[in-house]
Each structure stands twice: as C-alpha cells, then as structure tokens.
Amino acid sequence: MGVTVTAIPCLSDNYAWLLKDEATGTIGLCDPGESAPMIPAIEAAGGKLDWIILTHHHGDHIDGVADLVARYGAKVVGATADEHRLPKLDQKVVEGDFFSLGESRARVIDTPGHTRGHIAFYFADGGVLLCGDTLFALGCGRLLEGTPAEMFLSLTKLAALPSETLVCCGHEYTLSNARYALTVEPDNAALQSRAAAAEALRAEGKPTVPVTVGQEMAANPFLRAKDVDTLARIRLGKDNFRG
Ligand code: ZN
Ligand code: FE
C-alpha cells in the first residue's frame, strides 16, 4: 500500500511533509521547522505522531521538533553524522540503512552538498523522496558546507530514482528557481511550461510541489548538468542571480 504524503507550509517558505503508512496508519513528519502549523495537520490525521524524520540540522527544518516530541511522544530519526547538531535521535542512520514507517520502508541516501551530514529518505512503495534542501523544484540547495563534486554526486543518486518518484523538498523556491533556470536553458520547452504552471499555482496560493523526478529531469538544469564543472558554474550563477 505504501506511504502517502501531504505538504505543510511553515515559516516563510518552508515545507514539512506529513506521511502516512496506509497499511498501519503510522504517521511521520519530515522537517518541522516550527510546531504550530503542524498541530492541526497532525490532529486531522488522527491526533498522533509516531516519527519525526530529519534531513539536516538547519533550524528551519528542526526547530519544531522539541515541542512536537513533548506533545506527541514522537521518536526522531536522523543522520548519524550530524548527531551532535540534531535533536536527540531515537534512530541514527547512514547511507544504505532502512527506516521503517509502519510497513513502509525508506532507504537512506547520503546527499552532502548543502550540508555535510544531509540525507534523503526514499520510500520505494508509494514513490516518495524526502530530499530536504538537496533537490528543489527547478533548483538545488546552496553549497553551504559541500563542494560542487559532492552535490553533483548527490543529485546523480536522486536522478537515478524512478521517474514517477515524488520529490518532496524543503522549500517553495520554484518561481525564483524558474526565473534563473530560464537563463540557463531559455529554449527548454518543458522548463517553459513548468515555469508557467508554477506561476499559475502560486497565483492561487497553492504549493508547486511535489513534482516528479521525471519532470525535474526534463526541466531542472541542476539535475540535468552533465558534469561537475557545469553544476559548479550554474550553482555560482544562481548564488549571484537577482531576479
Ligand atoms: Zn537547509
Ligand atoms: Fe532549509
């Protein structure tokens, strides 16, 4: 049956993701940057929270954890490598480990680049990728602690997932990413239509995510970069882009 997922907007442009294992009703929540917007969503899903799933240590992804653990007694899973700067972990994971949400299993993928200890969770059954600030719709995370080579390898791993996989990322950056992406690939028709669709969704106040790996492979210049040098060049361009 697998896992289903819902975006919960929080802070100014973050998304947390509420996950439900359909077989058992086990509930997970990825990257709660604050607790208040999570509570109505958790209550609507049955009023319990079993697991908090963390992709990396930044405050806009973890600052809601303490309150939610106190309120619901949720357990927390995150990267062994970042144990020293994450909330207290009940399960510590490294590349290749599996995390179980009820009967749904997620494979842990090491995705350094944005931060050193950044990880992603891939639920094959249900086709859900929790990728934090590594891959965004039409963009990728800033290289705050990592090199272009590390980010290139991280994106290569995500690009290898099935094309129907839902990319559940940490931020609503799609419009800004689209404006920059169009400077990199102005003639990419898939990108042009994604940019127009994103404009329409945001005009209605709707999230532009999740998107699929296949959609991103067609339109995201960072995921489409053929080598490290290309990725480094377009990442630097985005860092300096004002548009
Ligand atoms: Zn971050
Ligand atoms: Fe973030």
Side-chain angles (χ1 to χ4, degrees), residues 14 55-61 114-115 118 132-134 136 142 144 171 173:
N14 277 79
T55 64
H56 68 296
H57 73 283
H58 285 155
D60 62 314
H61 299 253
H114 176 66
T115 65
H118 197 297
D133 289 357
T134 298
F136 294 124
R142 289 177 77 100
L144 298 178
H171 289 269
Y173 287 162

Side-chain angles (χ1 to χ4, degrees), residues 99-119:
F99 162 71
S100 292
L101 185 73
E103 293 181 5
S104 297
R105 288 204 320 166
R107 180 162 57 85
V108 174
I109 306 171
D110 232 348
T111 53
H114 176 66
T115 65
R116 246 186 307 282
H118 197 297
I119 55 175

